């Protein structure tokens, strides 16, 4: 159990944990049990049962610039989200070896999840940069000043209460039979899954349109209050066969076939109370702890308020046939595999929505070629080349030419003329280790491009601030990245060492933007270049370790329309030191000091300088040092914050969260060895490994704080 935003296991986001969540204040409770039984390599059972409880209080401030044509639209929002969740999860693996050539496996899994949440948010859209008026555009005084100058397009406040209950079960059966000792084998597999979801949501919003004149027949203010019942049911099953045939020495031909069927049914019911007016709802105060009691205050005959047009019933069935053909060549120095998968797919979609009845059948053919080469220079050096191609079909919702204007500020319309997209991905990886010089290096290059990528065409209404979004096919979306890691000892005794990690990433996004319906769309290409370098220099001997470290991250974003502040350069710097003293009597003292700086953010309050100081004192006891007590202090100076930036084809957003950075933690760790050496302990874990996938990972040994113990920049 912890309230330090650690989403893994007690002790921190180290080995086996899921890492630290820096978004908001999050608490986690977890209880788990594992069982493992093995009988003479013939019969194996392992399973786990877990209960998770999460509780979150997440406050966020988002500043965005939307690329909407020859001008920019700016938006700011403040949101408070309170959420809870409970999950029971049970997994089991039963493996039986009736003889040395046969393996039969069964994997059932059951999960029960409930969650509820309350969210309150306020937002505004501007036609000029609101930070030119002040650092808090949503405050009453600054918002009034911006509105006086005619720069406010709309404001919106919203309260949402939601509850979700999900039940899911799956069962997988697999049997493998070796037909000879040269590699001929056959595998049969079947899988069944079912899930049931019931969700309820009440959303209340108030909108004020500042640019709309009443003469246009539109209200300058309006309220939308809707209660939604969202049940969903799904079932699927599949049958798969894989056959492997040796056709030459260490050359194998593999054939696979899989038939799958799935059905998903939904019956969304919408009840609209907007005509009751603001007065009715102003007296209701949502309670996060008793959201259900709040819903009970709705009109007793609320069923009479059902909105048949916005309510939706749907049924989606899919039939798939996966046909795989692959070739694998195994040699002492290299392994080569190549193959292709063909997937004929038939879907049947039935829907009643917005007074439109849809009954459509679609048949498509997906294909995916693959190639992989692993070349082994030595036991510690290898080169790996991988290619993947994949067809991506548009969804039925994207293909239906229905105009969904249930939210006037965010209208969506499908496009029946969409083509399938095809993604090409290429990856080259190399690593090497030179033992005599204690030197390691790693490099990789990635490239991906998409033909007929499914992007969005956005039409922006300058009077309301609303957007009409329609999916279209575009070409020109691609990404390239590369990284190089280099670690080495500087002297022959290994007292001095140097570590470096360099990274480059380039994204090219394409979108089409228009200022209003009927106007010509403008092509906008957003390019984002990110360069990162992290380096450290260290010294260690028997009683002291000293490290000097630093990093720099540079991001340049441009777009071809060159509007507003869309062309930006941001910098993030970090530099500092960590020192560890090995004191007498098994005592260890560690301290770290790091300076973090940000520059280039539109919100000047995000251009910060943060001096972060962490410290730790630990003491080991007993002969085997099996008992350790440590006191850890994080962000002693209370300077660390959580800020991030995201950029895509349509907008860039800067986000800051409330988060826990400053706290103290006392660790008492006692290591117990009941099962002998490491080999015996590994056998006790699921899957026979040190970090079994289905059991609890080993206890983390350290906090794993951002940027190392000496602090560091929050992730971008």
């Amino acid at each position: 159990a912890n309230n330090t935003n650690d989403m893994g296991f007690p002790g921190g986001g180290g080995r086996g944990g899921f890492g630290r969540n820096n978004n908001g204040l999050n608490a986690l409770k977890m209880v788990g049990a594992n069982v493992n039984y093995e009988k003479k390599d013939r019969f194996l059972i392992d399973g786990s049962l877990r209960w998770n409880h999460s509780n979150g209080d997440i406050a966020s401030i988002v500043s965005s610039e939307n690329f909407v044509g020859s001008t920019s639209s700016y938006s700011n929002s403040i949101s408070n989200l309170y959420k809870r969740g409970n999950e029971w999860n049970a997994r089991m693996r039963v493996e039986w070896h009736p003889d040395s050539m046969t393996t039969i496996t069964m994997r059932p899994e059951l999960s029960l999840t409930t969650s509820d949440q309350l969210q309150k948010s306020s937002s505004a859209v501007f036609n000029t940069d609101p930070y030119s008026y002040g650092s808090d555009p949503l405050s009453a005084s600054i918002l009034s000043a911006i509105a006086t100058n005619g720069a406010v397009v709309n404001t919106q406040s919203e309260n949402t209460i939601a509850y979700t209950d999900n039940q899911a079960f799956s069962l997988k059966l697999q049997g493998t039979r070796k037909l000879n000792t040269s590699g001929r084998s056959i595998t049969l597999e079947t899988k069944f899954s079912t899930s049931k979801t019931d969700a309820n949501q009440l959303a209340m919003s108030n909108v004020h349109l500042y640019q709309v004149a009443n003469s246009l027949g539109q209200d300058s203010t309006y309220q939308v209050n809707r209660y939604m019942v969202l049940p969903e049911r799904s079932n699927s099953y599949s049958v798969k066969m894989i056959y492997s045939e040796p056709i030459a020495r260490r050359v194998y031909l593999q054939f696979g076939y899989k038939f799958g069927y799935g059905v998903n049914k939904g019956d969304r019911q919408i009840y609209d109370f907007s005509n009751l007016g603001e007065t009715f709802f102003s007296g209701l105060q949502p309670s996060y702890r008793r959201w259900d009691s709040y819903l009970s205050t709705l009109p007793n005959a609320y069923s009479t308020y059902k909105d048949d047009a916005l309510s939706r019933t749907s049924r989606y069935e899919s039939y798939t046939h996966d046909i795989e053909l692959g070739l694998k060549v195994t040699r002492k120095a290299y392994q080569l595999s190549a193959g292709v998968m063909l997937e004929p797919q038939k879907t049947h979609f039935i829907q009643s929505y917005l007074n439109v009845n849809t009954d459509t059948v679609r048949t498509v053919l997906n294909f995916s070629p693959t190639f992989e080469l692993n070349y082994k220079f030595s036991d510690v050096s290898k080169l790996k080349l991988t290619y993947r191609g994949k067809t991506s079909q548009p969804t039925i919702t994207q293909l239906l030419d229905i105009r969904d204007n249930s939210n006037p500020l965010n209208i969506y319309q499908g496009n029946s003329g969409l083509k399938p997209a095809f993604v090409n991905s290429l990856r080259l990886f190399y690593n090497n280790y030179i033992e005599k010089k204690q030197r390691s290096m790693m490099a990789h290059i990635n490239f991906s491009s998409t033909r007929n990528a499914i992007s969005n065409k956005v039409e922006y209404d300058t009077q309301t601030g609303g957007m009409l979004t329609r999916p279209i096919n575009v070409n020109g979306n691609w990404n390239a990245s590369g990284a190089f890691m280099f670690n080495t000892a500087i002297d022959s005794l290994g007292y001095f060492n140097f570590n470096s990690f360099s990274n480059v990433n380039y994204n090219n996004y394409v979108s089409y933007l228009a200022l209003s319906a009927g106007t010509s769309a403008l092509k906008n290409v957003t390019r984002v270049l990110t360069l990162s370098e992290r380096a450290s220099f260290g010294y260690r001997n028997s009683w002291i370790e000293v490290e000097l470290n630093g990093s720099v991250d540079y991001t340049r974003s441009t777009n071809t329309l060159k509007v507003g502040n869309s062309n930006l350069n941001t910098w993030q710097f970090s530099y500092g030191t960590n020192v560890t003293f090995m004191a007498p009597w098994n005592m260890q003292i560690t301290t770290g000091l790091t300076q973090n700086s940000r520059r280039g953010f539109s919100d000047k309050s995000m251009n910060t300088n943060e001096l972060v100081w962490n410290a730790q004192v630990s003491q080991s006891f007993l002969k085997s040092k099996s008992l350790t007590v440590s006191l850890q202090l994080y962000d002693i100076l209370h300077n660390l914050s959580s800020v991030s930036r995201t950029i895509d084809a349509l907008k860039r957003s800067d986000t800051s969260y409330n988060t826990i950075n400053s706290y103290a933690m006392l660790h008492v760790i006692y290591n117990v060895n009941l099962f002998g050496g490491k080999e015996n302990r590994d056998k006790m874990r699921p899957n026979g490994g040190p970090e079994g996938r289905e059991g609890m990972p080993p206890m983390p040994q350290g906090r794993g704080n951002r940027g190392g113990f000496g602090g560091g920049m929050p992730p971008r």
Side-chain angles (χ1 to χ4, degrees), residues 481-614:
S481 64
F484 178 72
M485 188 255 318
F486 181 76
N487 300 328
T488 185
I490 297 177
D491 62 317
S492 59
L493 297 177
Y495 287 118
F496 295 91
N497 61 83
F498 174 78
N499 303 311
S500 172
F501 185 81
S502 306
N503 187 74
V504 58
N505 189 76
Y506 185 88
N507 287 283
N508 198 84
Y509 305 108
V510 177
S511 62
Y512 284 84
L513 313 167
L515 284 180
S516 61
T519 61
S520 299
L522 302 174
K523 181 180 179 180
N524 186 43
V525 180
T526 302
R527 300 181 176 95
V528 183
L529 172 66
T530 302
L531 302 174
S532 303
E533 173 61 38
R534 287 162 173 76
S536 65
F537 174 80
Y539 169 81
R540 70 167 64 185
N541 59 26
S542 60
W543 64 275
I544 190 173
E545 294 183 13
V546 180
E547 181 190 74
L548 302 176
N549 57 71
S551 68
V552 59
D553 293 85
Y554 167 73
T555 299
R556 175 175 174 79
S557 63
T558 64
N559 72 61
T560 54
L561 294 179
K562 299 180 181 178
V563 294
N565 297 324
S566 55
N567 295 347
L568 294 172
N569 300 305
T570 59
W571 295 86
Q572 298 192 69
F573 307 94
S574 174
Y575 53 91
T577 182
N578 290 319
V579 181
T580 300
F581 297 95
M582 314 298 177
W585 306 293
N586 298 324
M587 177 179 286
Q588 181 175 297
I589 302 172
T590 301
T591 185
L593 199 64
T594 300
Q595 174 72 37
N596 300 324
S597 300
R598 300 182 184 91
R599 296 293 183 270
F601 288 85
S602 299
D603 182 354
K604 303 303 180 185
S605 64
M606 295 185 180
N607 296 322
T608 59
N609 295 307
E610 303 169 353
L611 184 63
V612 182
W613 178 25
N614 299 330

Side-chain angles (χ1 to χ4, degrees), residues 303-358:
S303 60
T304 61
Y305 293 88
K306 185 177 180 181
D307 190 324
D308 292 322
L310 292 182
S311 298
R312 174 168 58 191
T313 59
S314 63
R315 177 185 174 91
Y316 181 81
E317 287 183 285
S318 65
Y319 303 82
T320 59
H321 303 265
D322 294 349
I323 305 169
E324 298 180 62
L325 184 63
L327 179 70
K328 184 175 182 179
V329 180
T330 303
R331 295 291 185 265
K332 183 177 181 180
Y334 68 90
Q335 287 186 349
L336 185 150
S337 60
V340 64
M341 184 185 76
L342 300 177
E343 184 190 54
Q345 181 184 55
K346 178 183 178 181
T347 58
H348 184 197
F349 183 65
I350 302 173
Q351 177 181 264
S352 177
Y353 182 49
L354 295 174
N355 298 317
V356 177
N357 294 320
T358 302

Side-chain angles (χ1 to χ4, degrees), residues 92-110:
M92 180 171 287
R93 177 170 66 103
V94 180
E95 188 173 298
W96 179 39
H97 300 270
D99 55 54
S100 60
M101 306 288 281
T102 308
T103 301
I104 299 173
T105 306
M106 180 178 70
R107 294 176 180 265
E109 180 175 354
L110 173 68

Side-chain angles (χ1 to χ4, degrees), residues 305-483:
Y305 293 88
K306 185 177 180 181
D307 190 324
D308 292 322
L310 292 182
S311 298
R312 174 168 58 191
T313 59
S314 63
R315 177 185 174 91
Y316 181 81
E317 287 183 285
S318 65
Y319 303 82
T320 59
H321 303 265
D322 294 349
I323 305 169
E324 298 180 62
L325 184 63
L327 179 70
K328 184 175 182 179
V329 180
T330 303
R331 295 291 185 265
K332 183 177 181 180
Y334 68 90
Q335 287 186 349
L336 185 150
S337 60
V340 64
M341 184 185 76
L342 300 177
E343 184 190 54
Q345 181 184 55
K346 178 183 178 181
T347 58
H348 184 197
F349 183 65
I350 302 173
Q351 177 181 264
S352 177
Y353 182 49
L354 295 174
N355 298 317
V356 177
N357 294 320
T358 302
D359 190 340
T360 180
V361 176
R362 182 172 63 144
T363 302
V364 298
L365 175 64
N366 299 321
F367 70 98
S368 176
T370 62
F371 175 84
E372 185 173 300
L373 172 65
N374 287 280
Y375 192 89
K376 186 177 180 181
F377 298 100
S378 66
D379 290 338
V380 293
S381 178
K382 69 176 182 179
L383 178 72
K384 183 176 181 179
L385 175 65
T386 306
Y387 165 77
R388 296 284 187 272
K390 184 178 181 181
T391 302
S392 179
Q393 297 288 342
T395 66
I396 290 290
T397 303
Q398 291 173 326
L399 287 169
L400 292 177
D401 199 2
I402 298 176
R403 189 182 183 94
D404 185 348
N405 56 3
S406 55
N407 181 354
L409 296 182
N410 189 11
I411 302 173
Y412 184 86
Q413 183 170 354
N415 181 1
S416 59
L418 285 177
K419 302 175 183 177
F422 191 83
V423 182
N424 292 287
S425 301
L426 186 67
R427 176 179 173 85
L428 181 65
F429 175 88
Y430 170 78
N431 75 297
N432 189 23
Y433 177 69
I434 304 173
E435 185 176 3
K436 290 183 179 180
K437 297 184 177 181
Q438 302 179 52
R439 179 175 299 165
S440 63
M441 61 186 69
M442 179 275 295
H444 65 80
I445 299 173
N446 301 298
F447 176 81
S448 67
S449 66
T450 305
R451 179 166 53 88
N452 291 326
I454 300 174
S455 183
N456 287 317
K457 174 187 174 183
V458 176
E459 296 177 0
Y460 176 70
D461 190 325
T462 56
Q463 288 190 318
T464 66
M467 295 186 182
L468 168 61
T469 302
R470 193 170 190 233
I472 60 172
N473 290 113
V474 301
N475 288 304
N477 283 3
W478 59 276
N479 164 266
S481 64

